[in-house]
Amino acid sequence: MTEKRELRVEKIRDGTVIDHITAGTALAVLRILGITGREGHIVSVLMNVPSRKLGRKDIVKIEGRELSPGEVDRIALVAPKATINIIRNFEVARKEPVKPPTTIIDVLKCQNVACITNSREPVKPIFKVEGEGENIALRCYYCGALMSREEILKQF
Ligand code: CTP
Ligand code: ZN
């Protein structure tokens, strides 16, 4: 591998690198993870960096923190091509592409005001995942309304 002329962000010792995030969605990923900066973790955020695979991408590096399966599922909705790298002692100990779940329960609201999930009934919103990659969309299980990735992003 050829040495780069400069390193944008240092390698980390232990933690998680979320790579290949859809360009422009790193802040949504931070919101999904509940990272405000006040938790004390060292966090590096790169936005719109050149990528061979994606043209442009975002990267988030979080030191001393791993992700829960629920967090990874939610990241898959806004950044369907993201890779989760677990770093231990500077090495990539595990690398896994995110995989959108088939069903999303009680995370996002249906946009149809007439949907039963927006009434006073105690009905939790359920969505079925449709579409591939950046064309991911969510279909409301109750009313059939379709929510695009752009609309999903607004709720995080
Ligand atoms: N990384 C890091 N700290 C480490 C090791 C890796 O911050 N101690 C970062 C790298 O900068 C990269 C990501 O974790 O953004 C994945 O590392 P690696 O698998 O070495 O990179 P690639 O081979 O380019 O990954 P891929 O094949 O997934 O594109
Ligand atoms: Zn609905």
Side-chain angles (χ1 to χ4, degrees):
M1 203 177 84
T2 51
E3 280 299 311
K4 285 205 194 125
R5 211 135 67 89
E6 60 188 69
L7 194 58
R8 266 185 233 275
V9 176
E10 284 176 30
K11 295 207 161 198
I12 66 173
R13 178 190 288 276
D14 290 294
T16 305
V17 175
I18 310 165
D19 197 0
H20 308 118
I21 298 171
T22 311
T25 59
L27 293 180
V29 169
L30 293 181
R31 285 194 294 273
I32 286 168
L33 298 176
I35 292 175
T36 64
R38 294 188 294 276
E39 297 73 35
H41 295 286
I42 300 175
V43 178
S44 311
V45 180
L46 293 99
M47 293 188 202
N48 300 311
V49 296
S51 155
R52 259 178 300 120
K53 287 185 212 163
L54 304 179
R56 299 265 161 185
K57 67 174 178 180
D58 290 359
I59 306 173
V60 171
K61 302 188 183 195
I62 310 153
E63 300 189 34
R65 161 101 143 74
E66 297 196 358
L67 311 186
S68 72
E71 287 172 332
V72 175
D73 280 356
R74 279 173 275 150
I75 290 171
L77 297 180
V78 300
K81 292 181 181 151
T83 315
I84 312 291
N85 297 274
I86 307 296
I87 313 295
R88 298 209 177 107
N89 199 20
F90 288 108
E91 298 293 326
V92 178
R94 251 185 32 234
K95 180 191 292 283
E96 268 169 42
V98 299
K99 196 169 145 286
T102 54
T103 311
I104 311 286
I105 302 170
D106 212 14
V107 173
L108 297 161
K109 285 199 202 122
C110 181
Q111 290 173 297
N112 172 9
V113 288
C115 182
I116 188 163
T117 59
N118 290 318
S119 69
R120 286 154 159 272
E121 303 295 326
V123 181
K124 288 180 179 169
I126 300 177
F127 293 92
K128 296 287 172 190
V129 177
E130 293 186 1
E132 287 285 306
E134 305 293 322
N135 294 321
I136 192 166
L138 301 182
R139 176 84 63 189
C140 177
Y141 174 75
Y142 296 98
C143 75
L146 197 62
M147 186 154 52
S148 69
R149 197 181 71 89
E150 272 307 308
E151 290 157 341
I152 297 167
L153 264 172
K154 289 183 197 154
Q155 290 197 34
F156 284 119

